[in-house]
Amino acid sequence: MTVSSESAETAGRPTTPQRNFTAVARRYDSINRILTCGRITVARRKAIDSLPTTSNKFLDLCCGTGEFGRALRLRYPGSTIIGVDINRSMLAQAVSRDCYDLVLAQDVATLELPPGSFNCVVLSLAYHDLGDGGEQVLAMSGRLLAPAGRLVSLELSLPESPLMRWLLVRVLRALESLLTILSRPVLAHTVREIRMSPDWRSVVHEFEAAGFSLMSTTTFLLGVLRLNIYIKGRTHDPA
Protein backbone atom coordinates (compact mmCIF):
# COMPACT_ATOMS: atom_id res chain seq x y z
CA MET A 1 0.00 0.00 0.00
CA THR A 2 1.28 3.45 -0.88
CA VAL A 3 1.22 5.98 1.95
CA SER A 4 0.58 9.57 0.91
CA SER A 5 2.92 12.27 2.19
CA GLU A 6 0.10 13.68 4.33
CA SER A 7 -0.63 10.27 5.87
CA ALA A 8 3.04 9.67 6.51
CA GLU A 9 3.26 13.07 8.19
CA THR A 10 0.71 12.06 10.83
CA ALA A 11 1.45 8.33 11.12
CA GLY A 12 2.85 6.71 14.23
CA ARG A 13 2.11 9.35 16.86
CA PRO A 14 4.62 8.89 19.69
CA THR A 15 3.44 8.21 23.21
CA THR A 16 4.69 10.50 25.95
CA PRO A 17 7.41 9.09 28.25
CA GLN A 18 6.46 9.34 31.92
CA ARG A 19 9.62 11.35 32.59
CA ASN A 20 8.13 14.12 30.43
CA PHE A 21 5.02 14.29 32.59
CA THR A 22 7.19 14.33 35.69
CA ALA A 23 9.26 17.20 34.31
CA VAL A 24 6.27 19.42 33.55
CA ALA A 25 3.81 18.36 36.28
CA ARG A 26 3.63 21.83 37.83
CA ARG A 27 3.34 23.52 34.43
CA TYR A 28 1.21 20.90 32.68
CA ASP A 29 -2.09 22.78 32.89
CA SER A 30 -0.50 26.05 31.75
CA ILE A 31 1.06 24.29 28.76
CA ASN A 32 -2.29 22.83 27.74
CA ARG A 33 -4.00 26.20 28.03
CA ILE A 34 -1.31 27.79 25.86
CA LEU A 35 -1.41 25.02 23.23
CA THR A 36 -5.20 25.27 22.99
CA CYS A 37 -5.46 29.04 23.42
CA GLY A 38 -7.58 28.42 26.50
CA ARG A 39 -10.14 26.27 24.68
CA ILE A 40 -9.35 23.25 26.85
CA THR A 41 -11.39 24.87 29.63
CA VAL A 42 -14.34 25.41 27.28
CA ALA A 43 -14.08 21.81 26.07
CA ARG A 44 -14.22 20.44 29.62
CA ARG A 45 -17.30 22.55 30.32
CA LYS A 46 -18.93 21.30 27.12
CA ALA A 47 -18.15 17.71 28.07
CA ILE A 48 -19.74 18.06 31.48
CA ASP A 49 -22.76 19.83 29.99
CA SER A 50 -23.23 16.79 27.72
CA LEU A 51 -23.56 14.34 30.61
CA PRO A 52 -26.90 13.25 32.10
CA THR A 53 -27.78 15.34 35.16
CA THR A 54 -28.25 12.09 37.09
CA SER A 55 -24.56 11.19 36.74
CA ASN A 56 -23.06 10.67 40.18
CA LYS A 57 -20.21 8.17 39.85
CA PHE A 58 -17.18 9.19 37.79
CA LEU A 59 -13.92 7.45 36.94
CA ASP A 60 -11.20 9.80 35.67
CA LEU A 61 -8.61 7.62 33.93
CA CYS A 62 -5.11 9.07 33.50
CA CYS A 63 -6.41 11.95 35.60
CA GLY A 64 -3.05 13.74 35.66
CA THR A 65 -3.18 16.98 37.62
CA GLY A 66 -6.91 16.69 38.30
CA GLU A 67 -8.22 19.54 36.15
CA PHE A 68 -11.11 17.48 34.83
CA GLY A 69 -11.82 16.11 38.28
CA ARG A 70 -12.01 19.61 39.69
CA ALA A 71 -14.48 20.63 36.98
CA LEU A 72 -16.60 17.58 37.76
CA ARG A 73 -16.54 18.34 41.48
CA LEU A 74 -17.74 21.89 40.91
CA ARG A 75 -20.68 20.64 38.85
CA TYR A 76 -21.47 17.50 40.89
CA PRO A 77 -20.40 18.34 44.46
CA GLY A 78 -22.09 15.31 46.03
CA SER A 79 -20.88 12.75 43.50
CA THR A 80 -18.24 10.02 43.82
CA ILE A 81 -15.15 10.76 41.73
CA ILE A 82 -12.15 8.45 41.51
CA GLY A 83 -8.92 9.49 39.82
CA VAL A 84 -6.29 7.09 38.49
CA ASP A 85 -2.82 7.85 37.16
CA ILE A 86 0.55 6.13 37.15
CA ASN A 87 2.60 9.32 37.48
CA ARG A 88 3.03 10.37 41.11
CA SER A 89 4.25 13.88 40.27
CA MET A 90 1.06 14.55 38.34
CA LEU A 91 -1.03 12.93 41.07
CA ALA A 92 0.54 15.19 43.68
CA GLN A 93 -1.01 18.13 41.83
CA ALA A 94 -4.36 16.31 41.68
CA VAL A 95 -4.32 15.52 45.40
CA SER A 96 -3.64 19.18 46.21
CA ARG A 97 -6.91 20.08 44.46
CA ASP A 98 -8.88 17.86 46.83
CA CYS A 99 -11.44 16.99 44.15
CA TYR A 100 -11.31 13.17 44.25
CA ASP A 101 -12.86 10.83 46.80
CA LEU A 102 -10.10 8.36 46.00
CA VAL A 103 -6.85 8.66 44.09
CA LEU A 104 -5.14 5.49 42.82
CA ALA A 105 -1.49 5.54 41.77
CA GLN A 106 -1.38 2.69 39.28
CA ASP A 107 -1.43 1.75 35.63
CA VAL A 108 -5.00 2.25 34.41
CA ALA A 109 -4.77 -0.97 32.40
CA THR A 110 -4.47 -2.98 35.63
CA LEU A 111 -7.39 -1.34 37.40
CA GLU A 112 -9.72 -3.75 39.23
CA LEU A 113 -13.05 -2.34 40.39
CA PRO A 114 -16.56 -3.85 40.47
CA PRO A 115 -18.31 -4.06 37.08
CA GLY A 116 -20.91 -1.41 36.33
CA SER A 117 -19.66 0.89 39.10
CA PHE A 118 -19.69 4.18 37.16
CA ASN A 119 -22.05 6.38 35.15
CA CYS A 120 -19.15 8.03 33.36
CA VAL A 121 -15.53 7.30 32.47
CA VAL A 122 -13.25 10.17 31.43
CA LEU A 123 -10.21 9.91 29.14
CA SER A 124 -8.93 13.47 28.83
CA LEU A 125 -5.74 14.04 26.82
CA ALA A 126 -4.90 10.42 27.58
CA TYR A 127 -6.03 7.89 24.98
CA HIS A 128 -3.29 8.58 22.44
CA ASP A 129 -0.67 8.05 25.16
CA LEU A 130 -1.94 4.58 26.02
CA GLY A 131 -0.35 3.12 22.90
CA ASP A 132 -0.84 -0.64 22.68
CA GLY A 133 -2.72 -0.53 25.99
CA GLY A 134 -5.59 1.46 24.52
CA GLU A 135 -7.65 -1.58 23.52
CA GLN A 136 -7.32 -3.04 27.01
CA VAL A 137 -8.34 0.23 28.66
CA LEU A 138 -11.41 0.56 26.44
CA ALA A 139 -12.46 -2.98 27.28
CA MET A 140 -12.01 -2.24 30.98
CA SER A 141 -13.99 1.01 30.64
CA GLY A 142 -16.87 -0.89 29.10
CA ARG A 143 -16.81 -3.36 31.97
CA LEU A 144 -16.78 -0.64 34.63
CA LEU A 145 -19.54 1.45 33.05
CA ALA A 146 -23.18 0.87 33.92
CA PRO A 147 -25.59 0.24 31.00
CA ALA A 148 -25.92 3.39 28.87
CA GLY A 149 -22.95 4.89 30.74
CA ARG A 150 -20.95 7.65 29.05
CA LEU A 151 -17.31 7.69 28.01
CA VAL A 152 -15.79 11.15 27.52
CA SER A 153 -12.81 11.37 25.17
CA LEU A 154 -11.01 14.70 24.83
CA GLU A 155 -7.91 14.72 22.64
CA LEU A 156 -5.60 17.02 20.73
CA SER A 157 -6.13 16.53 17.02
CA LEU A 158 -5.69 18.11 13.58
CA PRO A 159 -8.13 20.20 11.52
CA GLU A 160 -10.39 18.37 9.08
CA SER A 161 -9.78 20.97 6.38
CA PRO A 162 -6.91 19.69 4.18
CA LEU A 163 -5.55 23.21 3.75
CA MET A 164 -5.68 24.05 7.46
CA ARG A 165 -4.16 20.67 8.32
CA TRP A 166 -1.36 21.19 5.80
CA LEU A 167 -0.60 24.65 7.18
CA LEU A 168 -0.75 23.60 10.83
CA VAL A 169 1.50 20.58 10.33
CA ARG A 170 4.16 22.78 8.79
CA VAL A 171 3.89 25.41 11.51
CA LEU A 172 4.16 22.68 14.15
CA ARG A 173 7.18 21.16 12.44
CA ALA A 174 8.93 24.54 12.45
CA LEU A 175 8.02 25.07 16.11
CA GLU A 176 9.28 21.62 17.00
CA SER A 177 12.62 22.36 15.32
CA LEU A 178 12.90 25.68 17.17
CA LEU A 179 12.17 24.07 20.54
CA THR A 180 14.76 21.40 19.82
CA ILE A 181 17.38 24.04 19.04
CA LEU A 182 16.45 25.84 22.27
CA SER A 183 16.96 22.59 24.22
CA ARG A 184 13.31 22.22 25.17
CA PRO A 185 12.88 18.50 24.41
CA VAL A 186 9.70 18.02 26.46
CA LEU A 187 7.88 20.84 24.70
CA ALA A 188 9.25 19.69 21.34
CA HIS A 189 7.86 16.22 21.99
CA THR A 190 4.45 17.67 22.86
CA VAL A 191 4.36 19.62 19.60
CA ARG A 192 5.38 16.49 17.70
CA GLU A 193 2.50 14.59 19.31
CA ILE A 194 0.01 17.13 17.99
CA ARG A 195 1.61 17.13 14.54
CA MET A 196 1.36 13.34 14.32
CA SER A 197 -2.16 12.99 15.71
CA PRO A 198 -4.15 10.16 14.03
CA ASP A 199 -7.27 10.83 12.02
CA TRP A 200 -10.16 11.20 14.45
CA ARG A 201 -12.35 8.79 12.49
CA SER A 202 -9.86 5.96 12.98
CA VAL A 203 -9.98 6.64 16.71
CA VAL A 204 -13.80 6.47 16.66
CA HIS A 205 -13.56 3.07 14.97
CA GLU A 206 -11.37 1.82 17.83
CA PHE A 207 -13.96 2.92 20.39
CA GLU A 208 -16.76 1.37 18.35
CA ALA A 209 -14.86 -1.90 18.13
CA ALA A 210 -14.77 -1.88 21.94
CA GLY A 211 -18.56 -1.66 22.15
CA PHE A 212 -19.15 2.10 22.31
CA SER A 213 -21.30 4.27 20.04
CA LEU A 214 -20.46 7.88 19.22
CA MET A 215 -23.18 10.22 20.45
CA SER A 216 -21.61 13.57 19.59
CA THR A 217 -18.37 15.10 18.38
CA THR A 218 -17.33 18.72 18.89
CA THR A 219 -14.22 20.52 17.71
CA PHE A 220 -12.46 23.52 19.20
CA LEU A 221 -9.75 25.78 17.79
CA LEU A 222 -10.34 24.69 14.16
CA GLY A 223 -10.16 21.04 15.13
CA VAL A 224 -6.95 21.09 17.17
CA LEU A 225 -9.02 19.88 20.12
CA ARG A 226 -11.80 17.31 19.70
CA LEU A 227 -14.40 16.17 22.21
CA ASN A 228 -16.17 12.86 21.58
CA ILE A 229 -18.98 11.61 23.81
CA TYR A 230 -19.67 7.87 23.59
CA ILE A 231 -22.40 5.70 25.09
CA LYS A 232 -22.02 2.11 26.13
CA GLY A 233 -23.88 -0.46 24.11
CA ARG A 234 -26.39 1.69 22.24
CA THR A 235 -26.34 3.16 18.75
CA HIS A 236 -26.91 6.88 18.25
CA ASP A 237 -26.32 9.12 15.28
CA PRO A 238 -23.65 11.71 16.14
CA ALA A 239 -25.14 15.11 16.91
Side-chain angles (χ1 to χ4, degrees):
M1 180 179 67
T2 302
V3 180
S4 69
S5 58
E6 182 178 277
S7 298
E9 187 73 55
T10 59
R13 179 192 187 276
T15 58
T16 303
Q18 286 300 317
R19 64 178 180 273
N20 285 18
F21 288 121
T22 299
V24 301
R26 293 186 178 182
R27 296 176 287 130
Y28 180 78
D29 299 319
S30 298
I31 291 171
N32 283 334
R33 283 192 290 270
I34 292 170
L35 287 175
T36 64
C37 299
R39 301 301 287 173
I40 184 72
T41 302
V42 178
R44 288 194 195 100
R45 189 180 307 122
K46 172 69 174 178
I48 294 173
D49 287 343
S50 301
L51 299 176
T53 56
T54 54
S55 299
N56 60 2
K57 295 181 180 179
F58 300 92
L59 178 62
D60 191 358
L61 295 177
C62 304
C63 65
T65 61
E67 277 282 86
F68 210 110
R70 179 168 64 174
L72 285 171
R73 179 62 68 196
L74 290 172
R75 181 67 64 88
Y76 299 96
S79 62
T80 298
I81 309 175
I82 296 177
V84 187
D85 203 290
I86 197 173
N87 190 288
R88 293 182 181 274
S89 295
M90 298 283 277
L91 277 181
Q93 302 299 310
V95 169
S96 70
R97 292 194 158 107
D98 194 27
C99 56
Y100 295 106
D101 296 281
L102 177 65
V103 173
L104 300 174
Q106 68 179 88
D107 186 341
V108 296
T110 65
L111 193 62
E112 294 186 6
L113 292 169
S117 299
F118 300 94
N119 310 119
C120 176
V121 170
V122 175
L123 275 170
S124 178
L125 304 182
Y127 181 70
H128 292 332
D129 282 315
L130 294 173
D132 294 337
E135 182 177 350
Q136 183 179 355
V137 169
L138 290 181
M140 179 199 66
S141 298
R143 179 177 63 83
L144 295 179
L145 275 172
R150 303 300 200 270
L151 194 158
V152 174
S153 173
L154 181 60
E155 292 291 341
L156 294 171
S157 186
L158 290 172
E160 286 193 71
S161 163
L163 176 59
M164 291 301 300
R165 185 166 58 247
W166 183 87
L167 290 171
L168 180 60
V169 164
R170 275 140 190 82
V171 169
L172 291 174
R173 186 195 293 142
L175 180 58
E176 180 187 339
S177 298
L178 176 61
L179 289 169
T180 300
I181 292 171
L182 295 175
S183 299
R184 296 291 187 272
V186 174
L187 294 178
H189 182 94
T190 302
V191 171
R192 181 162 63 254
E193 287 181 325
I194 303 173
R195 177 171 64 82
M196 301 181 73
S197 295
D199 182 81
W200 73 275
R201 295 175 187 82
S202 67
V203 177
V204 170
H205 291 158
E206 293 173 15
F207 279 68
E208 290 175 338
F212 296 96
S213 297
L214 181 65
M215 294 187 71
S216 65
T217 183
T218 309
T219 59
F220 306 85
L221 198 64
L222 300 176
V224 173
L225 189 63
R226 182 175 289 274
L227 168 66
N228 287 342
I229 305 293
Y230 298 88
I231 189 169
K232 174 184 173 179
R234 191 181 302 169
T235 302
H236 283 260
D237 293 327

PDB file of all heavy atoms in Angstrom, residues 152-168:
ATOM      1  N   VAL A 152     -16.199   9.842  28.038  1.00  0.00           N
ATOM      2  CA  VAL A 152     -15.786  11.146  27.524  1.00  0.00           C
ATOM      3  C   VAL A 152     -14.355  11.031  27.016  1.00  0.00           C
ATOM      4  O   VAL A 152     -13.453  10.633  27.749  1.00  0.00           O
ATOM      5  CB  VAL A 152     -15.854  12.224  28.623  1.00  0.00           C
ATOM      6  CG1 VAL A 152     -15.275  13.546  28.118  1.00  0.00           C
ATOM      7  CG2 VAL A 152     -17.287  12.413  29.093  1.00  0.00           C
ATOM      8  N   SER A 153     -14.146  11.378  25.760  1.00  0.00           N
ATOM      9  CA  SER A 153     -12.809  11.368  25.168  1.00  0.00           C
ATOM     10  C   SER A 153     -12.484  12.767  24.656  1.00  0.00           C
ATOM     11  O   SER A 153     -13.164  13.290  23.770  1.00  0.00           O
ATOM     12  CB  SER A 153     -12.741  10.362  24.015  1.00  0.00           C
ATOM     13  OG  SER A 153     -11.502  10.460  23.333  1.00  0.00           O
ATOM     14  N   LEU A 154     -11.455  13.364  25.234  1.00  0.00           N
ATOM     15  CA  LEU A 154     -11.010  14.696  24.829  1.00  0.00           C
ATOM     16  C   LEU A 154      -9.554  14.588  24.417  1.00  0.00           C
ATOM     17  O   LEU A 154      -8.699  14.188  25.218  1.00  0.00           O
ATOM     18  CB  LEU A 154     -11.174  15.677  25.987  1.00  0.00           C
ATOM     19  CG  LEU A 154     -10.776  17.135  25.749  1.00  0.00           C
ATOM     20  CD1 LEU A 154     -11.607  17.740  24.618  1.00  0.00           C
ATOM     21  CD2 LEU A 154     -10.950  17.943  27.032  1.00  0.00           C
ATOM     22  N   GLU A 155      -9.251  14.917  23.149  1.00  0.00           N
ATOM     23  CA  GLU A 155      -7.906  14.722  22.639  1.00  0.00           C
ATOM     24  C   GLU A 155      -7.474  15.869  21.731  1.00  0.00           C
ATOM     25  O   GLU A 155      -8.302  16.487  21.053  1.00  0.00           O
ATOM     26  CB  GLU A 155      -7.820  13.418  21.830  1.00  0.00           C
ATOM     27  CG  GLU A 155      -7.963  12.147  22.632  1.00  0.00           C
ATOM     28  CD  GLU A 155      -6.801  11.874  23.562  1.00  0.00           C
ATOM     29  OE1 GLU A 155      -5.707  12.448  23.361  1.00  0.00           O
ATOM     30  OE2 GLU A 155      -6.987  11.072  24.493  1.00  0.00           O
ATOM     31  N   LEU A 156      -6.175  16.130  21.723  1.00  0.00           N
ATOM     32  CA  LEU A 156      -5.597  17.020  20.726  1.00  0.00           C
ATOM     33  C   LEU A 156      -5.677  16.323  19.376  1.00  0.00           C
ATOM     34  O   LEU A 156      -5.544  15.103  19.282  1.00  0.00           O
ATOM     35  CB  LEU A 156      -4.152  17.348  21.077  1.00  0.00           C
ATOM     36  CG  LEU A 156      -3.968  18.164  22.363  1.00  0.00           C
ATOM     37  CD1 LEU A 156      -2.489  18.232  22.737  1.00  0.00           C
ATOM     38  CD2 LEU A 156      -4.542  19.564  22.216  1.00  0.00           C
ATOM     39  N   SER A 157      -5.900  17.107  18.324  1.00  0.00           N
ATOM     40  CA  SER A 157      -6.131  16.527  17.017  1.00  0.00           C
ATOM     41  C   SER A 157      -5.609  17.479  15.941  1.00  0.00           C
ATOM     42  O   SER A 157      -4.842  18.386  16.233  1.00  0.00           O
ATOM     43  CB  SER A 157      -7.642  16.258  16.844  1.00  0.00           C
ATOM     44  OG  SER A 157      -7.908  15.570  15.655  1.00  0.00           O
ATOM     45  N   LEU A 158      -6.041  17.253  14.712  1.00  0.00           N
ATOM     46  CA  LEU A 158      -5.688  18.114  13.582  1.00  0.00           C
ATOM     47  C   LEU A 158      -6.956  18.554  12.870  1.00  0.00           C
ATOM     48  O   LEU A 158      -7.968  17.851  12.902  1.00  0.00           O
ATOM     49  CB  LEU A 158      -4.774  17.379  12.595  1.00  0.00           C
ATOM     50  CG  LEU A 158      -3.352  17.081  13.073  1.00  0.00           C
ATOM     51  CD1 LEU A 158      -2.634  16.178  12.066  1.00  0.00           C
ATOM     52  CD2 LEU A 158      -2.560  18.362  13.283  1.00  0.00           C
ATOM     53  N   PRO A 159      -6.935  19.715  12.230  1.00  0.00           N
ATOM     54  CA  PRO A 159      -8.132  20.202  11.520  1.00  0.00           C
ATOM     55  C   PRO A 159      -8.571  19.232  10.425  1.00  0.00           C
ATOM     56  O   PRO A 159      -7.751  18.536   9.830  1.00  0.00           O
ATOM     57  CB  PRO A 159      -7.663  21.535  10.926  1.00  0.00           C
ATOM     58  CG  PRO A 159      -6.492  21.944  11.745  1.00  0.00           C
ATOM     59  CD  PRO A 159      -5.820  20.675  12.159  1.00  0.00           C
ATOM     60  N   GLU A 160      -9.875  19.199  10.174  1.00  0.00           N
ATOM     61  CA  GLU A 160     -10.385  18.369   9.081  1.00  0.00           C
ATOM     62  C   GLU A 160     -10.082  18.980   7.726  1.00  0.00           C
ATOM     63  O   GLU A 160      -9.886  18.273   6.741  1.00  0.00           O
ATOM     64  CB  GLU A 160     -11.896  18.180   9.245  1.00  0.00           C
ATOM     65  CG  GLU A 160     -12.286  17.223  10.353  1.00  0.00           C
ATOM     66  CD  GLU A 160     -13.743  16.831  10.271  1.00  0.00           C
ATOM     67  OE1 GLU A 160     -14.094  16.082   9.337  1.00  0.00           O
ATOM     68  OE2 GLU A 160     -14.530  17.293  11.116  1.00  0.00           O
ATOM     69  N   SER A 161     -10.064  20.301   7.645  1.00  0.00           N
ATOM     70  CA  SER A 161      -9.781  20.970   6.378  1.00  0.00           C
ATOM     71  C   SER A 161      -8.374  20.609   5.899  1.00  0.00           C
ATOM     72  O   SER A 161      -7.397  20.823   6.629  1.00  0.00           O
ATOM     73  CB  SER A 161      -9.872  22.490   6.562  1.00  0.00           C
ATOM     74  OG  SER A 161      -9.243  23.163   5.500  1.00  0.00           O
ATOM     75  N   PRO A 162      -8.244  20.060   4.685  1.00  0.00           N
ATOM     76  CA  PRO A 162      -6.915  19.694   4.181  1.00  0.00           C
ATOM     77  C   PRO A 162      -5.939  20.872   4.170  1.00  0.00           C
ATOM     78  O   PRO A 162      -4.762  20.709   4.519  1.00  0.00           O
ATOM     79  CB  PRO A 162      -7.203  19.189   2.763  1.00  0.00           C
ATOM     80  CG  PRO A 162      -8.615  18.714   2.818  1.00  0.00           C
ATOM     81  CD  PRO A 162      -9.310  19.661   3.748  1.00  0.00           C
ATOM     82  N   LEU A 163      -6.421  22.047   3.792  1.00  0.00           N
ATOM     83  CA  LEU A 163      -5.546  23.206   3.751  1.00  0.00           C
ATOM     84  C   LEU A 163      -5.089  23.608   5.151  1.00  0.00           C
ATOM     85  O   LEU A 163      -3.893  23.839   5.385  1.00  0.00           O
ATOM     86  CB  LEU A 163      -6.263  24.380   3.084  1.00  0.00           C
ATOM     87  CG  LEU A 163      -5.469  25.715   3.060  1.00  0.00           C
ATOM     88  CD1 LEU A 163      -4.151  25.527   2.316  1.00  0.00           C
ATOM     89  CD2 LEU A 163      -6.311  26.822   2.418  1.00  0.00           C
ATOM     90  N   MET A 164      -6.035  23.671   6.093  1.00  0.00           N
ATOM     91  CA  MET A 164      -5.683  24.050   7.457  1.00  0.00           C
ATOM     92  C   MET A 164      -4.756  23.003   8.086  1.00  0.00           C
ATOM     93  O   MET A 164      -3.826  23.349   8.821  1.00  0.00           O
ATOM     94  CB  MET A 164      -6.947  24.218   8.299  1.00  0.00           C
ATOM     95  CG  MET A 164      -7.801  25.411   7.922  1.00  0.00           C
ATOM     96  SD  MET A 164      -6.881  26.973   8.061  1.00  0.00           S
ATOM     97  CE  MET A 164      -6.428  26.959   9.797  1.00  0.00           C
ATOM     98  N   ARG A 165      -5.016  21.737   7.787  1.00  0.00           N
ATOM     99  CA  ARG A 165      -4.161  20.675   8.324  1.00  0.00           C
ATOM    100  C   ARG A 165      -2.751  20.791   7.756  1.00  0.00           C
ATOM    101  O   ARG A 165      -1.756  20.673   8.487  1.00  0.00           O
ATOM    102  CB  ARG A 165      -4.767  19.311   8.000  1.00  0.00           C
ATOM    103  CG  ARG A 165      -4.017  18.149   8.630  1.00  0.00           C
ATOM    104  CD  ARG A 165      -4.831  16.862   8.568  1.00  0.00           C
ATOM    105  NE  ARG A 165      -5.189  16.485   7.220  1.00  0.00           N
ATOM    106  CZ  ARG A 165      -6.421  16.474   6.740  1.00  0.00           C
ATOM    107  NH1 ARG A 165      -7.435  16.859   7.489  1.00  0.00           N
ATOM    108  NH2 ARG A 165      -6.669  16.105   5.502  1.00  0.00           N
ATOM    109  N   TRP A 166      -2.665  21.037   6.463  1.00  0.00           N
ATOM    110  CA  TRP A 166      -1.357  21.188   5.802  1.00  0.00           C
ATOM    111  C   TRP A 166      -0.582  22.355   6.414  1.00  0.00           C
ATOM    112  O   TRP A 166       0.614  22.232   6.720  1.00  0.00           O
ATOM    113  CB  TRP A 166      -1.579  21.415   4.314  1.00  0.00           C
ATOM    114  CG  TRP A 166      -0.317  21.511   3.503  1.00  0.00           C
ATOM    115  CD1 TRP A 166       0.384  20.491   2.944  1.00  0.00           C
ATOM    116  CD2 TRP A 166       0.376  22.718   3.151  1.00  0.00           C
ATOM    117  NE1 TRP A 166       1.481  20.983   2.271  1.00  0.00           N
ATOM    118  CE2 TRP A 166       1.491  22.340   2.375  1.00  0.00           C
ATOM    119  CE3 TRP A 166       0.149  24.065   3.409  1.00  0.00           C
ATOM    120  CZ2 TRP A 166       2.396  23.270   1.874  1.00  0.00           C
ATOM    121  CZ3 TRP A 166       1.052  25.008   2.909  1.00  0.00           C
ATOM    122  CH2 TRP A 166       2.154  24.609   2.144  1.00  0.00           C
ATOM    123  N   LEU A 167      -1.256  23.483   6.606  1.00  0.00           N
ATOM    124  CA  LEU A 167      -0.599  24.651   7.179  1.00  0.00           C
ATOM    125  C   LEU A 167      -0.168  24.406   8.616  1.00  0.00           C
ATOM    126  O   LEU A 167       0.958  24.729   9.016  1.00  0.00           O
ATOM    127  CB  LEU A 167      -1.537  25.865   7.116  1.00  0.00           C
ATOM    128  CG  LEU A 167      -1.810  26.451   5.735  1.00  0.00           C
ATOM    129  CD1 LEU A 167      -2.919  27.505   5.807  1.00  0.00           C
ATOM    130  CD2 LEU A 167      -0.537  27.068   5.163  1.00  0.00           C
ATOM    131  N   LEU A 168      -1.064  23.810   9.418  1.00  0.00           N
ATOM    132  CA  LEU A 168      -0.754  23.599  10.830  1.00  0.00           C
ATOM    133  C   LEU A 168       0.405  22.624  10.998  1.00  0.00           C
ATOM    134  O   LEU A 168       1.283  22.841  11.846  1.00  0.00           O
ATOM    135  CB  LEU A 168      -1.988  23.078  11.568  1.00  0.00           C
ATOM    136  CG  LEU A 168      -1.797  22.802  13.063  1.00  0.00           C
ATOM    137  CD1 LEU A 168      -1.393  24.076  13.792  1.00  0.00           C
ATOM    138  CD2 LEU A 168      -3.058  22.216  13.673  1.00  0.00           C
TER     139      LEU A 168
END
